[in-house]
Amino acid sequence: MKKKELFNDDSGQMLLAAGLVLLMSLLSMSLYGVKVAGYDLPRTSDVTDVLDATEEIESMFLPTLENRTQVRFDNGMNLNDATIDSLETVEYDIKNHGILRGIQFSFTETDIVVDGNNVTVNTILNVVSDSMIELPISASYTIS
């Protein structure tokens, strides 16, 4: 039986130590870069962001709701159901848009009146950031 002799060679350990030092320095530089860029903090909104967002929602509410209701009605849905479903999808989209801005949006006290082909939707838009704003929104349109 052959006997193998082992000997001490520290060159591999030095290479490993140099790699670990390089890896740690790259990691600390990337963490520093993220902190300097401000990506480690959640997005906070200020008053102008809230006012801009409510203005955008107010301007897009009627045309978006009307178009979505028309599409659903054209595809065979009952007008009342089409309006409710359209309002739910608009609210869902607004909530997701608010998440990106750091603002919470929701609708409360919603009242839907369907009279023939005329639809009237009254709701209150709740905007929550550092403070809370309640904005009444109305939409009246005719589905053909």
Side-chain angles (χ1 to χ4, degrees):
M1 182 168 188
K2 234 180 190 187
K3 186 176 179 184
K4 290 187 178 181
E5 288 186 32
L6 299 176
F7 57 92
N8 291 336
D9 186 7
D10 294 339
S11 63
Q13 291 179 0
M14 293 304 291
L15 183 61
L16 179 63
L20 286 175
V21 168
L22 179 62
L23 183 66
M24 294 303 288
S25 65
L26 288 173
L27 181 62
S28 68
M29 284 191 305
S30 67
L31 288 175
Y32 176 74
V34 165
K35 286 183 180 181
V36 168
Y39 292 129
D40 63 331
L41 300 174
R43 167 114 166 85
T44 57
S45 58
D46 60 359
V47 175
T48 56
D49 286 341
V50 171
L51 293 176
D52 290 343
T54 55
E55 223 174 83
E56 290 171 9
I57 291 170
E58 196 172 17
S59 68
M60 59 70 70
F61 182 72
L62 172 64
T64 305
L65 185 62
E66 183 178 2
N67 288 337
R68 290 181 182 186
T69 304
Q70 184 70 53
V71 168
R72 284 162 176 74
F73 183 72
D74 289 345
N75 286 315
M77 282 185 83
N78 172 326
L79 185 55
N80 192 41
D81 293 339
T83 305
I84 291 170
D85 189 54
S86 298
L87 186 63
E88 288 174 356
T89 61
V90 168
E91 183 177 16
Y92 179 78
D93 290 344
I94 290 171
K95 284 181 179 180
N96 286 335
H97 183 70
I99 290 171
L100 298 174
R101 290 186 169 199
I103 305 170
Q104 294 178 354
F105 295 107
S106 65
F107 291 140
T108 56
E109 300 179 28
T110 302
D111 182 36
I112 298 172
V113 177
V114 177
D115 182 26
N117 285 350
N118 298 323
V119 178
T120 304
V121 177
N122 297 312
T123 188
I124 295 178
L125 173 67
N126 297 304
V127 183
V128 179
S129 182
D130 293 335
S131 60
M132 183 173 172
I133 298 173
E134 291 182 343
L135 178 70
I137 296 178
S138 294
S140 294
Y141 53 92
T142 302
I143 296 298
S144 54

